[in-house]
Amino acid sequence: MSTNAELFDRACRSIPGGVNSPVRAFRSVGGTPRFIKRAQGPYVWDAEGTRYIDYIGSWGPAILGHAHPEVVRAVQEAAVGGLSFGAPTEAEVELAELLIQRMPSMEQVRLVSSGTEATMSAIRLARGATGRAKIVKFEGCYHGHSDSLLVKAGSGLLTFGNPSSAGVPPEFVAHTLTLEYNNLQAVQAAFDQHGAHIACIIVEPVAGNMNLVMPRPGFLQGLRDLCSRHGAVLIFDEVMTGFRVGPQGMQGLTGVRPDLTTLAKIIGGGMPVGAFGGRADLMAHIAPLGGVYQAGTLSGNPVAVAAGLATLRLIGQPGFYDALGERTARLAEGLQARARAAGVAFSAQSIGGMFGLYFSAQVPDTFDAVSACDAALFKRFFHAMLDRGVHFAPSAFEAGFVSATHDQAVLQATFDAAEQAFAELAR
Ligand SMILES: *Cc1c(COP(=O)(O)O)cnc(C)c1O
């Protein structure tokens, strides 16, 4: 049996940083990533056989808990029938129909294989359909790793951003305006100045990639109004929030209807599936109907689609989100209560099955406020919990996820660990 440390050493020799996606490397918390051997329900087991309560949930997809028997069975049955055809299947039509039925603003949808592909394609479509070049995004929102979306805010509100990754030429992000999340005035000002050239706004309707930041009342509707007035496309990136905050995503909870929506994570049930869709007149610009090119060898893959369909059917059962939301709220409240008892400045909130933990007395609602939280305390809390068998996301800039299998006993075990962890922090 190899230890996590041995595996990490070995991984670092063949894989840059030892991981296939950066946050897994524990860089912001230090220490050794746990190499997962298997997972079941709310638990993951590492290479050393240690069990953890998992609040990462594959970064969202594991809403039913890990390895749900019906999802696993669907995958096994699909696999026996062939792994991939490069030709259409009935199951992908079923998945498309289900997505359209559940997402209020979606009239047509195309399947892809990741969230990155979905957002990249939606932006190309918005640009192609409007004939405009500029896009608006918000600091702290993550929309995958395509070139034009890897931008950090410029110094002034209305300056165009700088690439936040090496390998992205400044010219590639010259059309990307990065504004402050929850600052509608900044968006108004951007449209006053550039309105005729803005193809789209892309936004996480609840920001889940800078910890969890809720939209202020009126922010999303304000974006809707500005886009409608200026002929720009409003894209809700619901890759995380879709089927996570409620049965119809954040558009269902708020009543705000985007023109395009991007999905991934839960709709693949743990397999690689993404999707982008929305108004039929916009979607008609996509090849082979229109001039906006988009394609994928493994798009609509039958095994991945089977996992997604099985997952969506199970979470479509009545009462699912009431129970999930109640548990997640109980987690946030329970952690807050233990922190208060220990005298640690801490706050927490949740929406549906996602939550945010903050080492600050008040829940932050801007990127700057999230950045001002106590990162050193988070790091100590993360390890104190990990040592006690509870695995939170290894970064203070990530949301957390609860599954249908995180029952009262799992929450209680989390609270017991948290009581000790907060006490350790207070010392
Ligand atoms: C995870 C995520 C993405 C990227 O999805 P990948 O499947 O990792 O490419 C895009 N947008 C949001 C909001 C996400 O949370």
Side-chain angles (χ1 to χ4, degrees):
M1 191 181 75
S2 299
T3 64
N4 292 306
E6 285 163 356
L7 285 172
F8 193 44
D9 276 349
R10 186 175 141 206
C12 287
R13 272 175 257 137
S14 54
I15 303 173
V19 291
N20 284 314
S21 198
V23 73
R24 297 178 197 170
F26 274 32
R27 286 294 178 101
S28 68
V29 290
T32 308
R34 301 306 190 257
F35 279 66
I36 305 305
K37 194 132 191 180
R38 70 186 180 94
Q40 182 67 60
Y43 303 114
V44 294
W45 284 262
D46 71 8
E48 300 172 15
T50 305
R51 188 186 82 174
Y52 300 89
I53 296 171
D54 177 30
Y55 287 106
I56 300 177
S58 183
W59 301 100
I63 190 164
L64 290 165
H66 291 287
H68 189 287
E70 286 184 45
V71 178
V72 171
R73 194 178 321 121
V75 166
Q76 285 169 333
E77 280 170 13
V80 169
L83 298 179
S84 172
F85 315 123
T89 65
E90 184 174 351
E92 63 193 322
V93 183
E94 276 177 58
L95 181 52
E97 288 168 350
L98 229 154
L99 294 175
I100 289 165
Q101 200 189 325
R102 302 248 181 111
M103 281 289 150
S105 68
M106 227 179 229
E107 295 171 352
Q108 286 213 316
V109 63
R110 176 157 285 177
L111 301 182
V112 295
S113 299
S114 72
T116 294
E117 255 189 280
T119 56
M120 180 186 82
S121 305
I123 282 173
R124 183 179 301 147
L125 172 56
R127 283 172 160 160
T130 58
R132 301 173 180 181
K134 295 190 194 313
I135 64 176
V136 170
K137 78 174 285 290
F138 298 95
E139 189 175 20
C141 284
Y142 176 68
H143 306 290
H145 60 91
S146 69
D147 285 339
S148 64
L149 292 168
L150 288 176
V151 187
K152 60 170 179 268
S155 47
L157 275 184
L158 277 182
T159 56
F160 286 86
N162 311 302
S164 58
S165 165
V168 178
E171 293 84 355
F172 284 29
V173 297
H175 295 297
T176 306
L177 259 169
T178 305
L179 305 176
E180 188 186 29
Y181 194 80
N182 269 335
N183 183 344
L184 198 53
Q185 274 176 324
V187 189
Q188 173 77 60
F191 273 91
D192 285 347
Q193 197 169 332
H194 302 288
H197 304 286
I198 296 174
C200 65
I201 296 177
I202 185 166
V203 64
E204 287 183 71
V206 173
N209 287 284
M210 49 169 154
N211 204 321
L212 189 156
V213 172
M214 292 288 293
R216 284 182 188 148
F219 179 61
L220 298 173
Q221 184 60 51
L223 300 183
R224 174 66 279 172
D225 295 342
L226 281 168
C227 283
S228 298
R229 195 171 319 139
H230 292 270
V233 174
L234 179 61
I235 305 173
F236 273 8
D237 181 356
E238 298 227 44
V239 165
M240 186 183 287
T241 54
F243 304 104
R244 171 54 67 180
V245 298
Q248 303 181 317
M250 196 55 179
Q251 52 196 269
L253 292 185
T254 58
V256 179
R257 300 285 177 261
D259 301 298
L260 294 176
T261 301
T262 54
L263 296 168
K265 298 196 167 115
I266 287 174
I267 68 162
M271 299 286 284
V273 180
F276 65 103
R279 277 167 40 199
D281 64 308
L282 284 175
M283 294 303 285
H285 288 270
I286 296 278
L289 297 179
V292 177
Y293 194 69
Q294 189 281 326
T297 301
L298 293 178
S299 293
N301 174 268
V303 183
V305 163
L309 271 175
T311 300
L312 288 176
R313 286 186 183 130
L314 286 162
I315 64 181
Q317 289 167 1
F320 181 88
Y321 286 93
D322 291 339
L324 184 71
E326 195 265 324
R327 275 167 197 196
T328 314
R330 211 179 324 144
L331 173 72
E333 284 157 20
L335 290 174
Q336 221 166 344
R338 269 80 187 174
R340 204 177 307 122
V344 175
F346 175 88
S347 52
Q349 67 177 340
S350 68
I351 175 167
M354 62 194 278
F355 62 88
L357 309 178
Y358 321 92
F359 282 87
S360 71
Q362 279 180 1
V363 166
D365 72 348
T366 63
F367 180 70
D368 286 348
V370 168
S371 304
C373 292
D374 192 330
L377 264 191
F378 169 78
K379 195 169 152 173
R380 286 175 60 203
F381 177 72
F382 170 81
H383 279 293
M385 292 300 281
L386 193 66
D387 288 347
R388 293 170 174 82
V390 181
H391 203 320
F392 285 114
S395 162
F397 288 91
E398 303 286 354
F401 303 98
V402 166
S403 83
T405 57
H406 287 71
D407 58 14
Q408 183 53 34
V410 171
L411 293 184
Q412 191 55 52
T414 307
F415 297 148
D416 293 345
E419 205 166 300
Q420 296 176 15
F422 283 122
E424 193 177 294
L425 259 56
R427 274 206 290 278

